[in-house]
Amino acid sequence: MAKLHIRGGRRLSGEVTLQGSKNSALPILAASLMVRGTVVLHNCPDLSDVRAAVRILNSLGCKCSQLGHDVYIDASVVKCDAVPDDLMREMRSSVVFLGAILSRCASATISAPGGCELGPRPIDLHLKAIKEMGFSVNESGGYINCARESGRSKTDIILDFPSVGATENIILAATLSKGRVVLHNAAKEPEISDLADFINGAGGKIYGAGTDTVEIFGVNRLYSTEHTIIPDRIVAATYMSAVSATGGDITVKNTVPSHINAIVTRYREMGCEVNFSDDDMRVVSNRRMSRITKTRSTVYPGFPTDAGPLLVTSLALAEGTSLFVETIFDNRFNYAEELKLLGADIKVFGRLAVIEGVRSLHGANVRCTDLRGGAAAVVAALAAEGESTVDKICHIERGYENIQNALSALSADIKRE
Ligand code: UD1
């Protein structure tokens, strides 16, 4: 199993270009299935999750090829078969294919998603909305089968919680239809706007994405299109975390400042200098960070849950006691045990983490518990004195493109084995 060897304690310096967003790329790849023609995606990150999504598209009859960060998809002809189980299970967010398959094929069978490292991952909100849109939903033997039953001219859906995945599935399922869906309490994350921009670029009619009311007017078909995936705001947070922990001066190119406001505010509060010049973000840290009394993860535009492990790592080295409250997922603090092996002082009480900042961390052998928890372990190891190994990096590779090269370019001493 692949691992990273890190010799910590080096200040980071240099320039790096931010990769494309994983959480945008996956639903947009799913949406490509709805295009009766060809799709060219630019700035698509080269990740194991993206490769899994491409395999799902191939299994549905699309012809796909990847050249660097460009992905070409010909979905002129598709097979409306069930997606093979092993492919569905390879990628946690494969459930987003449900809406796209329903739009293109009118029926879909997928395997029910299990739990994940962050706790149970229910899709009740997705299925309830899909029923309300006039699809039948049958769950049995670990499979979910949905089929278009009645055409509705207008459906109002109110989500109990602004779930990102449910919002995406509803947009996808409503795109190719004869009706109109008005979605209330929709997720407002930038990845939702990116998905809507992609679909609209192909001839879709989606209004209000990025606000809490999204209106989808069904269209008969989508046409060939080209789209550039937005930069990854959580990877941007990872660079901020790394510099705050190690000290240094880096420039991250290709950022969208408005997507990372809540994160930048926190790092500035801790004492990092974060400045923007167009889409370049310069992060400078020359002293020990200060504590942040309390941070709560919440939906966009609030502080993102995915950036929580990275902020907690920075706070683990800050002066004083900080609190972090996780409000989105049940089980998000598994990584704290790994940070403790590196010398951090973190106590977890359910959804609350109490972080007593320490002056330094020391090298240790740790493992990735999940994608962002793994990134947090890497940041902690970069800051720790001495050598560390970070095991089970398959989790990290779901969301970070060549993390060892990106960090090496910033003067980190990091090797992949
Ligand atoms: C997406 C992101 C993930 C991020 C999360 C929250 C992708 C591929 N993943 O995940 O990185 O951490 O948004 O910003 O984009 N829930 C239900 N029932 C449902 C759906 C969700 O109870 O039907 C709950 C979940 O268990 C979780 C919360 O709602 O506690 C948030 O989930 P959701 O916004 O749907 O996250 P994902 O789309 O899975």
Side-chain angles (χ1 to χ4, degrees), residues 22-24 26-27 49 92-93 95-96 118-127 161-168 187 189 191 233-234 298-300 304-306 327-330 332 351 371-372 398:
K22 167 181 88 78
N23 288 353
S24 256
L26 299 179
D49 266 10
R92 199 141 296 127
S93 31
V95 69
V96 80
L118 311 184
R121 234 32 205 268
I123 56 162
D124 54 312
L125 301 174
H126 305 226
L127 299 181
F161 174 83
S163 152
V164 173
T167 300
E168 290 165 349
E189 272 67 3
E191 294 76 24
R233 58 199 172 99
I234 308 302
T298 181
V299 296
Y300 191 82
T305 172
D306 288 351
T327 73
I328 308 291
F329 289 104
D330 288 336
R332 194 132 214 185
R351 287 183 172 222
L371 167 56
R372 305 302 168 187
R398 286 183 36 229

Side-chain angles (χ1 to χ4, degrees), residues 165-397:
T167 300
E168 290 165 349
N169 252 333
I170 294 162
I171 290 175
L172 291 165
T175 290
L176 298 178
S177 74
K178 297 204 185 314
R180 170 180 160 214
V181 170
V182 185
L183 174 59
H184 306 272
N185 200 23
K188 295 183 286 210
E189 272 67 3
E191 294 76 24
I192 304 289
S193 306
D194 204 23
L195 173 64
D197 287 347
F198 168 78
I199 296 173
N200 288 342
K205 287 193 177 156
I206 299 163
Y207 304 97
T211 73
D212 55 14
T213 306
V214 180
E215 208 167 352
I216 308 120
F217 290 81
V219 295
N220 284 331
R221 66 170 286 179
L222 295 182
Y223 299 87
S224 297
T225 190
E226 206 165 322
H227 181 80
T228 301
I229 309 269
I230 57 170
D232 195 308
R233 58 199 172 99
I234 308 302
V235 177
T238 308
Y239 290 123
M240 282 183 246
S241 172
V243 174
S244 77
T246 62
D249 182 346
I250 70 164
T251 299
V252 184
K253 303 190 86 67
N254 193 33
T255 61
V256 181
S258 63
H259 291 175
I260 47 180
N261 267 336
I263 304 168
V264 168
T265 306
R266 291 286 147 178
Y267 281 92
R268 283 184 178 147
E269 196 179 334
M270 286 171 73
C272 252
E273 287 170 40
V274 186
N275 293 303
F276 291 93
S277 159
D278 298 327
D279 59 3
D280 285 359
M281 174 175 76
R282 183 164 173 215
V283 188
V284 182
S285 156
N286 285 321
R287 60 175 183 83
R288 191 173 178 202
M289 297 289 105
S290 318
R291 72 183 193 136
I292 301 176
T293 321
K294 192 174 183 178
T295 307
R296 298 167 76 86
S297 62
T298 181
V299 296
Y300 191 82
F303 189 86
T305 172
D306 288 351
L310 299 155
L311 185 71
V312 167
T313 305
S314 305
L315 294 171
L317 281 158
E319 201 165 355
T321 307
S322 308
L323 304 181
F324 188 91
V325 185
E326 170 58 35
T327 73
I328 308 291
F329 289 104
D330 288 336
N331 197 19
R332 194 132 214 185
F333 289 123
N334 290 333
Y335 66 89
E337 287 305 315
E338 306 304 309
L339 298 190
K340 277 154 82 172
L341 294 174
L342 291 153
D345 181 352
I346 303 171
K347 293 182 187 65
V348 174
F349 306 94
R351 287 183 172 222
L352 167 71
V354 180
I355 306 125
E356 299 283 353
V358 295
R359 279 203 161 271
S360 62
L361 299 174
H362 52 76
N365 297 334
V366 294
R367 72 189 170 97
C368 301
T369 51
D370 59 89
L371 167 56
R372 305 302 168 187
V378 169
V379 168
L382 289 175
E385 295 296 331
E387 268 190 51
S388 298
T389 56
V390 182
D391 211 340
K392 290 201 169 180
I393 59 166
C394 53
H395 290 292
I396 297 184
E397 292 180 343

Side-chain angles (χ1 to χ4, degrees), residues 108 110 127 131 135-140 143-147 149:
I110 60 160
L127 299 181
K131 262 188 211 161
F135 293 92
S136 62
V137 176
N138 292 302
E139 294 177 71
S140 75
Y143 290 90
I144 301 166
N145 176 271
C146 306
E149 294 240 296

